[in-house]
Amino acid sequence: MNKNSIGYVSAPVSKEIDIVKSIKDLCKKKKAVILAHYYQDKSIQDIADYVGDSLALAQWAAKTNAGMIVVCGVHFMGETAKIICPDKKVLVPDLNAGCSLADSCPAYELEEFIKQYPGYKVISYVNTTAAVKALSDVVVTSTNARQIVESFPKDEKIIFGPDRNLGNYINSITGRNMVLWDGACHVHEQFSVEKMVELKKQYPESLVLAHPECKSTVLALADHVGSTASLLKYATESKCKTFIVATESGILHEMKKKNPDKLFILAPPNDSTCACNECNFMRLNTLEKLYNCLKFEMPEIFVDKELGKKALRPIQKMLDISAKLGL
Ligand code: 13P
Ligand code: SF4
């Protein structure tokens, strides 16, 4: 077994073993639960105990009795679970699974930014590091951002970060004027408005579903804007049979599973030669790494105890508001 500098276990898995069965057996033996995000490869979604959006992953972490939590998602999702459950072992199959939004907002830069706006509340998207969460008054996900922003008085001065697209969208639907951090997701920024307009001409009966991390010009074309869970719910409840989907391609697995009679078309990226609809960070996790991670109980997420306590406050606030709102 070898290990790189941040702990990804790269032991090869023998072709002889039934990896799906072995993962299930290891979970049972170690009393572990697998939480997966909708952007994971379908092989991981299919084996997970729960598949959901960022809010659901945090909510499941908060209520599980399992002693070990394997988060199949990106680093901030594992870190959030660890902050919620400091006494549990939290694993992520590949610790290199970062996030361009979290990377765009280093805590020391945010701290300087906040100093320029005395008296402002700080609302942080969950796609941030523990250190950024620790500087925040409340954390939000795309499922509850609108309601949490609206829970502040109308004249409250607010800094929102790090996603400028989500921030702009929330400003536009709430009439707020939050000061925005200038970050963006490299997957959601790359959808081509021109190609989406062409697709819409080809499929005039289709509806456009978009994640709020997309640019405002893409959101302007959307019939429904929402978190991954919300896009899935909308597509499932709609009578429409064709959807153009502007978010990461992993969500199509559950969309197709729940709606085998409907057609889901990925919104085209600007660069048609890339696999831009896939989050390269999310896709670092594989079944092999999941197996190794359960077997060797690494790589593990660690959060400094004091930092974790500070970061828990705004996360707990988000969980409490969401529970009150039935989200
Ligand atoms: P959701 O919370 O909508 O699942 O989004 C997470 C994410 O990282 C989107 O890029
Ligand atoms: Fe981060 Fe974008 Fe990947 Fe979501 S899709 S995890 S925001 S890099």
Side-chain angles (χ1 to χ4, degrees):
M1 174 180 79
N2 43 57
K3 185 167 103 85
N4 71 11
S5 57
I6 57 169
Y8 151 53
V9 182
S10 59
V13 176
S14 158
K15 290 207 168 37
E16 303 303 310
I17 74 162
D18 175 344
I19 196 159
V20 170
K21 182 178 177 309
S22 305
I23 289 171
K24 286 188 175 153
D25 290 347
L26 280 167
C27 273
K28 209 179 268 176
K29 187 171 144 201
K30 303 199 176 196
K31 296 190 172 48
V33 66
I34 301 176
L35 310 181
H37 188 264
Y38 288 124
Y39 295 166
Q40 291 294 281
D41 184 80
K42 56 184 181 219
S43 60
I44 292 183
Q45 292 191 44
D46 285 344
I47 205 173
D49 295 292
Y50 301 100
V51 186
D53 66 0
S54 314
L55 176 62
L57 297 187
Q59 289 170 326
W60 282 319
K63 62 181 177 217
T64 183
N65 293 323
M68 189 186 290
I69 304 174
V70 185
V71 178
C72 293
V74 291
H75 187 273
F76 77 80
M77 295 174 175
E79 198 174 54
T80 303
K82 181 68 184 176
I83 294 165
I84 295 170
C85 311
D87 300 326
K88 294 190 177 181
K89 187 171 265 191
V90 177
L91 308 167
V92 170
D94 191 329
L95 280 189
N96 288 310
C99 168
S100 50
L101 269 172
D103 290 347
S104 77
C105 188
Y108 64 91
E109 285 185 23
L110 179 65
E111 209 166 3
E112 290 306 308
F113 189 77
I114 293 170
K115 280 185 197 154
Q116 295 169 36
Y117 297 96
Y120 278 61
K121 297 283 186 227
V122 179
I123 302 185
S124 288
Y125 196 28
V126 70
N127 300 41
T128 45
T129 61
V132 164
K133 289 184 176 83
L135 295 172
S136 310
D137 292 285
V138 64
V139 166
V140 300
T141 75
S142 45
T143 288
N144 54 29
R146 177 190 191 144
Q147 292 90 332
I148 291 182
V149 167
E150 282 179 334
S151 73
F152 284 86
K154 261 244 166 272
D155 56 352
E156 187 78 67
K157 293 173 179 161
I158 297 172
I159 294 171
F160 184 93
D163 188 34
R164 62 169 178 262
N165 292 324
L166 175 63
N168 266 321
Y169 173 68
I170 300 294
N171 272 344
S172 75
I173 57 174
T174 60
R176 305 283 171 131
N177 189 23
M178 299 184 293
V179 173
L180 307 181
W181 184 265
D182 192 19
C185 160
H186 69 298
V187 179
H188 288 87
E189 278 257 294
Q190 49 77 39
F191 295 114
S192 159
V193 173
E194 292 73 23
K195 289 178 191 170
M196 284 176 73
V197 169
E198 278 312 304
L199 253 187
K200 187 80 191 166
K201 280 186 199 153
Q202 237 177 295
Y203 298 93
E205 75 293 358
S206 66
L207 294 179
V208 175
L209 310 178
H211 195 280
E213 288 173 22
C214 295
K215 289 180 291 193
S216 59
T217 44
V218 168
L219 297 183
L221 299 175
D223 297 284
H224 180 66
V225 177
S227 67
T228 49
S230 165
L231 301 185
L232 175 64
K233 185 168 184 280
Y234 186 89
T236 305
E237 290 173 355
S238 169
K239 287 194 168 60
C240 179
K241 295 281 183 206
T242 310
F243 299 89
I244 298 168
V245 185
T247 190
E248 213 267 3
S249 58
I251 188 69
L252 261 64
H253 181 53
E254 196 63 22
M255 282 179 170
K256 286 177 185 167
K257 249 168 101 174
K258 285 210 157 67
N259 304 280
D261 58 329
K262 297 182 182 176
L263 176 64
F264 296 97
I265 307 163
L266 285 170
N270 282 309
D271 176 358
S272 49
T273 62
C274 69
C276 310
N277 296 63
E278 285 186 5
C279 171
N280 51 321
F281 297 117
M282 285 278 184
R283 302 312 175 103
L284 284 174
N285 294 325
T286 61
L287 270 189
E288 279 211 349
K289 290 179 194 171
L290 173 56
Y291 168 78
N292 279 326
C293 153
L294 275 159
K295 185 169 176 191
F296 299 111
E297 299 184 17
M298 62 186 294
E300 185 175 354
I301 300 270
F302 295 100
V303 178
D304 173 82
K305 275 229 165 356
E306 284 314 304
L307 180 67
K309 276 187 206 159
K310 283 187 195 150
L312 179 60
R313 251 180 274 142
I315 295 174
Q316 193 57 54
K317 196 166 172 186
M318 169 187 82
L319 292 173
D320 293 345
I321 297 175
S322 302
K324 250 188 227 155
L325 294 169
L327 295 171

